[in-house]
Amino acid sequence: MSQLNATMARLGGVNLLPVAVALVAFVLIGAPSSWVTLTIAGLAMGMMLFLMASGLSLVFGLMDVLNFGHSAFVSFGAFISATVLAGLGGWLAADSWALNSMALLASYLAAISFGLIAGWFFETVIIRPVYRDHLRQILITMGAMIVAEQTILAFWGGTPYSVGRPHFLEGAWIIGDVSIEKYRAFAFVLGAAVFVLLYLVLNRTRIGLLVRAGVEDREMVEALGFRVDRLFIGVFMVGSALAALGGAMWAGYETLITPHLGAELMIVIFIVVIIGGLGSIEGTLLGAILVGLMANYVGFLAPKLALASNMILMVAILLWRPNGLRPAVK
């Protein structure tokens, strides 16, 4: 095992795993056009999963909180965004890039604003009384998830809710035999931009330095006189906002959503966090891309194994690296 790790480090480390998966899939798929389409779809899916999982990873790493209610922010973000888009249906369907963009931006801002406010409330009222008690955290956050799901049922009903897409993101670009869906390309670009922003904040700012230090050694940061509890609130709010934004983007990806959206995605989000490693933005991105690629490749090659592919991937990686690919904490 140590020899395998040394070989991987010489070749570029775990960062090359998505490349290795893509190359193996290219050989198995055989058709370059299908491979390109599936790869772009996998990258887009991975970026949306990254948005939903990054906040949860930091909350795990910094706050040691098992937040099973994280899916509530995803679901509410999706439904709030869809409601705003429905209200701006005229802008959404207009043959104007500016109006389309304004409608999409308004829906995303609404989801992010809800995530920030709800994150503050959730941390202050629900999470704070159960710090350092994992059993109570699991019970109370799962209860919050059920309450949130029932609230969505009360407001939006149980029937699938249709989500509109901006006119300029409908359809696909056809390049030879390759079909590139516009919305998936947009999702990849937006997810990459959010990752770059998070990376710069965490690695180039004082607040980011304190967050990273808190993830690695919370007691030392507190001993130096910094208020880690304030970092807790900020990280939780940002993580909730990212989950809501990810839910909003996923709603446009699926175009038909149900109140069970967050609960269905929660298992995949936890798999991404576990694969990437706790408290690591880079690890979360790596895990999300691997999950997205595997889901699309396996769904094409062996549809019956599509649901199990993520579990198999997680087990294989944990047998190799029990702490995840790039953990910030052990």
Side-chain angles (χ1 to χ4, degrees), residues 181-193:
E181 190 176 338
K182 293 179 181 179
Y183 190 86
R184 288 176 174 174
F186 165 76
F188 173 78
V189 172
L190 182 57

Side-chain angles (χ1 to χ4, degrees), residues 26-184:
F26 180 79
V27 174
L28 295 175
I29 293 171
S33 59
S34 299
W35 177 82
V36 171
T37 301
L38 291 169
T39 300
I40 293 173
L43 291 174
M45 179 181 177
M47 283 301 181
M48 288 183 282
L49 290 174
F50 163 74
L51 289 176
M52 291 181 269
S54 56
L56 183 62
S57 179
L58 283 178
V59 167
F60 266 172
L62 178 63
M63 304 168 67
D64 193 27
V65 170
L66 297 170
N67 180 19
F68 283 81
H70 192 74
S71 61
F73 304 114
V74 175
S75 296
F76 270 106
F79 275 91
I80 288 172
S81 173
T83 302
V84 172
L85 289 174
L88 298 175
W91 289 7
L92 207 63
D95 191 13
S96 168
W97 183 89
L99 290 176
N100 290 172
S101 300
M102 289 172 63
L104 191 64
L105 180 61
S107 70
Y108 286 172
L109 288 177
I112 291 171
S113 299
F114 169 83
L116 290 171
I117 297 170
W120 170 82
F121 176 83
F122 201 87
E123 194 278 339
T124 304
V125 176
I126 297 176
I127 297 296
R128 191 172 296 180
V130 294
Y131 276 140
R132 304 181 188 280
D133 189 340
H134 287 164
L135 178 59
R136 292 177 65 195
Q137 287 171 11
I138 293 172
L139 294 175
I140 198 169
T141 55
M142 287 190 70
M145 178 185 69
I146 295 171
V147 170
E149 190 171 297
Q150 294 303 310
T151 303
I152 292 174
L153 279 169
F155 275 92
W156 284 279
T159 58
Y161 195 91
S162 180
V163 183
R165 281 187 185 178
H167 178 71
F168 78 98
L169 291 179
E170 291 283 5
W173 294 300
I174 306 299
I175 306 173
D177 294 330
V178 177
S179 175
I180 302 175
E181 190 176 338
K182 293 179 181 179
Y183 190 86
R184 288 176 174 174

Side-chain angles (χ1 to χ4, degrees), residues 289-300:
I289 290 177
L290 279 172
V291 167
L293 291 175
M294 283 290 291
N296 281 271
Y297 291 148
V298 176
F300 179 83

Side-chain angles (χ1 to χ4, degrees), residues 5-28:
N5 288 330
T7 303
M8 285 286 295
R10 286 196 299 269
L11 295 175
V14 294
N15 294 329
L16 289 180
L17 279 177
V19 178
V21 169
L23 290 176
V24 172
F26 180 79
V27 174
L28 295 175

Side-chain angles (χ1 to χ4, degrees), residues 112 142 198 204 236 239 244 249 287 290:
I112 291 171
M142 287 190 70
L198 280 176
R204 297 289 187 270
F236 204 97
M249 293 178 64
L290 279 172

